[in-house]
């Protein structure tokens, strides 16, 4: 009995595989026509993609607005509080005819101008992200603080205190308006 030659067996298997592959490939049918998307599904997908993009953009805008509010409102009390403290020191020096009157006055002017500059810088940095109502109140504080700094600079012992008191009231009103507009 003669055995099967491995080379011949491999050749027969290869030939059988080729015949089977050609048969399967020959049975495939080509589909005639032009591929088109399902119009309803395509419209639905575009609407979904558009709304997702709009939601992401809206979320980014809200996050930027919240950051601008937080940045300005968080720093405001401390920034403006220094000006208030220095101004109150000046009032005490004025009321008591203190010998360091000029130095205390200069310190109050500098602190008020610095506070105005810092608040203004925060508003400018925030730009359009800051809600208009809050921006208006912050700018009103900046204007009031600069006016109080000018009134303080112009004070001497014999000056009437009415203009200084009016300028001080505007700063207090402006500070309170900002605090009321800022989230707790």
């Amino acid at each position: 009995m003669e055995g099967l030659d491995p080379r011949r067996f491999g050749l027969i298997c290869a030939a059988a595989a080729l015949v089977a592959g050609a048969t399967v490939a020959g049975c495939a049918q080509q589909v005639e026509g032009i591929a088109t998307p399902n119009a309803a599904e395509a419209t639905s997908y575009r609407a979904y993609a558009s709304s997702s993009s709009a939601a992401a953009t809206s979320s980014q805008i809200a996050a930027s607005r919240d950051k601008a509010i937080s940045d300005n409102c968080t720093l405001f009390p401390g920034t403006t509080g220094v000006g208030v403290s220095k101004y109150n020191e000046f009032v005490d020096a004025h009321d008591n005819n203190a010998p360091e009157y000029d130095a205390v006055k200069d310190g109050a002017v500098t602190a008020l101008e610095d506070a105005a500059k810092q608040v203004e810088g925060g508003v400018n940095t925030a730009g359009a992200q800051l809600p208009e109502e809050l921006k208006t109140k912050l700018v009103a504080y900046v204007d009031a603080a600069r006016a109080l700094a000018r009134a303080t600079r112009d004070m001497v012992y014999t000056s009437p205190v009415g203009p200084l008191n009016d300028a001080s009231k505007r700063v207090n009103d402006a500070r309170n308006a900002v605090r009321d507009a800022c989230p707790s």
Side-chain angles (χ1 to χ4, degrees), residues 100-122:
E100 67 277 0
Y101 178 81
D102 288 331
V104 174
K105 177 172 78 168
D106 291 343
V109 168
T110 300
L112 288 164
E113 288 174 343
D114 286 349
K117 191 182 306 181
Q118 288 178 35
V119 171
E120 183 177 54

Side-chain angles (χ1 to χ4, degrees), residues 7-21:
R7 278 183 265 163
R8 200 181 258 182
F9 181 70
L11 187 57
I12 292 171
C13 286
L18 284 174
V19 170

Side-chain angles (χ1 to χ4, degrees), residues 57-81:
T57 300
S58 176
S59 180
Q60 289 171 341
I61 290 169
S64 294
R65 184 196 70 233
D66 290 348
K67 182 178 181 336
I69 292 169
S70 176
D71 288 352
N72 280 275
C73 288
T74 301
L75 296 176
F76 185 80
T79 300
T80 62

Side-chain angles (χ1 to χ4, degrees), residues 7-48:
R7 278 183 265 163
R8 200 181 258 182
F9 181 70
L11 187 57
I12 292 171
C13 286
L18 284 174
V19 170
T23 303
V24 170
C27 291
Q29 271 188 315
Q30 195 172 32
V31 177
E32 298 292 323
I34 299 172
T36 57
N38 178 318
E41 286 182 11
T43 301
S44 175
Y45 174 77
R46 281 199 259 335
Y48 170 77

Side-chain angles (χ1 to χ4, degrees), residues 87 90-91 94-95 97 101 148 151-152 154-170:
Y87 174 75
F90 162 70
V91 169
H94 179 77
D95 291 347
N97 293 324
Y101 178 81
L148 181 57
T152 302
D154 294 342
M155 282 298 293
V156 293
Y157 283 121
T158 58
S159 297
V161 294
L164 186 68
N165 289 338
D166 291 344
S168 176
K169 182 179 181 334
R170 282 194 301 276

